[in-house]
Amino acid sequence: MIAAPAWAAPWMVGTAEVIALIVIVTGLLQVGFYIVQLAFAAAALLSRPPVPRGATLWRRYSDQAPPISVLAPAFNEGLTVVESVRSLLALQYPNFEVLLINDGSKDDTLARVIAAFDLRPVQRYVDDRMQNAPIRGFYASPALPRLLVIDKENGGKADALNAGINTCRTELFCAIDADSILEPDALLRVVRPFIDEPELTIAAGGTIRIANGCKIDSGQVVNVRLPRSFLALVQIMEYLRAFLMARLALGQMQVLTVISGAFGLFRRQYVVDVGGYSHATVGEDMELVLKLHRYMRDRGQPYRIEFIAEPVCWTECPEDAAVLGRQRSRWQRGALECFAKHKAMCFNPRYGRIGFLGFGQILLVDVLGPLVEVLGYVLVPLLYGLGLLALPWLLAFLAVTFTFGVFVSIATLVLEEIQLRRFPHARAIAVLAGIAVIENFGYRQLSNIWRLQGWWQFLRKQQSWGTMTRKGFGGASAG
């Protein structure tokens, strides 16, 4: 208790302490969950240690690797699409086909691909089990039998992926973004659970990393370097936490609720059975994974949805605050849409650990997290300033908000350096360690404002994607 101001009634002090308690307990629950995730992430890396050389993987898996169709939807990707296709064609995998889906681009995406690879119109059988916008034509070349370009009317990313699934002929398909670059052995690494446990594995996701600042040559990341942009550096830390800690741990627990739309491998039949990607959400990648969980649980079929840390997909991140804000508010809106659509699974014993742990994590981090944290930023310092809260309450709030946040980020960096070592220079680790501290003062609060915008868009049932401008990998390499 504190000596409350003369004007303050006892109920005011009590209410202030209840508000602070809610904020602190919510923060502690989040931090506690993150620490548990760190432990499971470390266990996952120990139980399936990285294979350092692609040649080893080739000897071990090449004769067992099933055929894969790589689906790459492209909308206005003229700046990066040719480099992306080149990187896909250079993948080290025994049997694969690249299906680039031009989703009614308004720029020169299609013209650039046709010109760069000397493509001609061809015919192709299309399954019709999932609806998609009309396909205008197919393009291929005898010189590049692994490449097929699907030109269709614009219908959005989910619609483009469904068109690709209808067109592909393989049991497995890999969904990626056309503005991304897969490492040459990424397919060999991500297909491992499908080979090790073919009867159980229905989906697997890989790691997404930031290409800004890296040197890129012929569609490959040849030198991993840090960008100069602060916003890009902060996103590197965010991606490390999201993939190397959270998704690796959730995969180990078998409660993974999202496989990034930028890089995921799926068993085609199950995706067709659940109706493919949904059109009525901007979180179609997360929604697909939730539908797969629900489908398998409803039928009582054993299954596994895995996350593999080693295979890497490089992507360009926004360096402009306005563009980044639109992306983050859209991600928040997508998470809320998925939670609302499948809320019947939340804490429902029928869905086991995915209902309790998977949906519990979404509720805590995505639904309540931004609301409670912004409430804390506004009210806790204000109530302390008014004399309604004692100093220990303020210190506890600051410790939960900042100290533990820095600890989780640094621990993730340690995990990265011990197990994967993607950053070749110690200076890069030191810079990122500094960013892990600095991001808590300004950027973290701004990020929560963007997430609240996503909340507002969700309540208004807004469905637009917003404009996403890119520099292209040529710009990235210049950093």
Side-chain angles (χ1 to χ4, degrees):
M1 295 292 292
I2 62 170
W7 54 266
W11 68 267
M12 293 182 178
V13 175
T15 303
E17 290 179 348
V18 168
I19 292 172
L21 187 63
I22 292 173
V23 172
I24 291 169
V25 168
T26 304
L28 284 174
L29 286 174
Q30 285 187 333
V31 170
F33 199 69
Y34 291 151
I35 291 174
V36 170
Q37 286 182 345
L38 274 170
F40 272 86
L45 287 173
L46 289 173
S47 63
R48 184 178 278 158
V51 179
R53 297 185 59 197
T56 305
L57 279 170
W58 183 271
R59 286 195 300 272
R60 190 178 300 173
Y61 291 112
S62 60
D63 60 341
Q64 309 172 58
I68 292 176
S69 295
V70 180
L71 311 184
F75 176 71
N76 292 346
E77 305 287 356
L79 282 174
T80 59
V81 69
V82 172
E83 288 289 292
S84 296
V85 171
R86 283 189 180 133
S87 76
L88 294 176
L89 293 174
L91 288 171
Q92 296 166 1
Y93 194 79
N95 190 353
F96 71 99
E97 182 181 33
V98 176
L99 274 63
L100 180 77
I101 308 139
N102 178 48
D103 188 36
S105 296
K106 297 175 182 176
D107 67 355
D108 57 353
T109 297
L110 180 63
R112 283 196 183 206
V113 175
I114 289 175
F117 300 101
D118 192 25
L119 304 180
R120 298 287 184 271
V122 295
Q123 300 293 319
R124 177 83 170 220
Y125 168 77
V126 180
D127 195 351
D128 60 357
R129 280 184 283 178
M130 290 177 296
Q131 290 186 342
N132 57 260
I135 293 175
R136 298 185 291 216
F138 300 96
Y139 297 86
S141 166
L144 295 168
R146 292 189 187 276
L147 176 63
L148 177 72
V149 174
I150 305 170
D151 180 34
K152 64 182 284 292
E153 295 181 6
N154 179 256
K157 183 180 176 183
D159 188 81
L161 285 167
N162 285 343
I165 297 168
N166 278 334
T167 305
C168 74
R169 299 166 173 164
T170 56
E171 185 181 354
L172 303 182
F173 74 86
C174 178
I176 69 163
D177 285 341
D179 61 345
S180 57
I181 293 176
L182 283 182
E183 290 197 340
D185 58 7
L187 285 185
L188 262 180
R189 292 183 184 277
V190 79
V191 83
R192 288 175 63 187
F194 288 89
I195 296 173
D196 294 339
E197 296 183 282
E199 302 301 323
L200 291 177
T201 308
I202 63 172
T207 299
I208 312 298
R209 287 185 183 252
I210 302 294
N212 301 45
C214 296
K215 184 178 180 182
I216 296 170
D217 185 27
S218 302
Q220 299 296 327
V221 174
V222 295
N223 188 2
V224 177
R225 296 185 301 190
L226 293 182
R228 295 173 182 172
S229 160
F230 172 74
L231 284 180
L233 285 168
V234 171
Q235 289 173 81
I236 289 176
M237 279 307 308
E238 289 180 326
Y239 276 56
L240 281 178
R241 285 195 298 268
F243 289 92
L244 192 52
M245 181 188 73
R247 295 190 191 177
L248 187 56
L250 295 174
Q252 179 76 359
M253 298 180 206
Q254 280 300 297
V255 294
L256 191 63
T257 55
V258 59
I259 290 177
S260 171
F263 184 26
L265 187 61
F266 299 87
R267 199 171 291 281
R268 179 178 182 272
Q269 183 58 54
Y270 290 111
V271 175
V272 172
D273 288 343
V274 299
Y277 289 90
S278 299
H279 291 65
T281 176
V282 293
E284 74 285 334
D285 46 1
M286 181 178 188
E287 211 262 335
L288 176 63
V289 176
L290 294 179
K291 284 197 298 187
L292 289 170
H293 278 296
R294 194 167 191 168
Y295 178 86
M296 302 303 283
R297 290 271 177 178
D298 283 344
R299 281 153 184 77
Q301 289 183 241
Y303 69 100
R304 294 188 69 83
I305 295 179
E306 301 280 7
F307 177 82
I308 309 295
E310 301 166 66
V312 172
C313 175
W314 296 90
T315 190
E316 178 194 2
C317 73
E319 295 185 2
D320 177 88
V323 177
L324 180 59
R326 286 195 292 271
Q327 182 194 63
R328 295 309 164 89
S329 60
R330 192 183 70 240
W331 287 0
Q332 176 68 24
R333 181 163 36 110
L336 294 174
E337 288 172 352
C338 292
F339 184 82
K341 189 171 182 178
H342 296 280
K343 58 181 181 297
M345 297 173 68
C346 187
F347 300 134
N348 186 336
R350 179 177 184 174
Y351 297 100
R353 67 181 72 178
I354 189 66
F356 284 91
L357 291 177
F359 271 82
Q361 193 248 359
I362 299 174
L363 178 66
L364 186 63
V365 176
D366 294 320
V367 178
L368 298 178
L371 298 175
V372 174
E373 188 163 333
V374 170
L375 184 74
Y377 289 140
V378 174
L379 289 185
V380 173
L382 176 64
L383 294 173
Y384 173 74
L386 292 173
L388 297 175
L389 282 178
L391 182 62
W393 287 103
L394 179 66
L395 295 179
F397 168 72
L398 295 176
V400 168
T401 305
F402 300 111
T403 308
F404 290 125
V406 172
F407 165 75
V408 169
S409 297
I410 296 296
T412 306
L413 268 179
V414 171
L415 207 60
E416 147 75 29
E417 186 58 14
I418 291 176
Q419 287 290 344
L420 300 178
R421 297 186 179 180
R422 288 284 180 163
F423 300 105
H425 306 295
R427 180 177 175 276
I429 297 294
V431 169
L432 291 176
I435 292 295
V437 177
I438 295 170
E439 68 170 334
N440 288 281
F441 304 94
Y443 175 78
R444 179 170 170 171
Q445 291 72 28
L446 180 61
S447 179
N448 274 298
I449 296 297
W450 291 331
R451 297 178 73 186
L452 287 188
Q453 289 175 345
W455 248 109
W456 178 242
Q457 293 167 3
F458 167 72
L459 294 175
R460 296 180 61 199
K461 301 185 185 305
Q462 187 173 327
Q463 281 296 309
S464 68
W465 273 68
T467 304
M468 298 296 292
T469 55
R470 296 181 183 280
K471 291 163 61 178
F473 290 125
S477 64

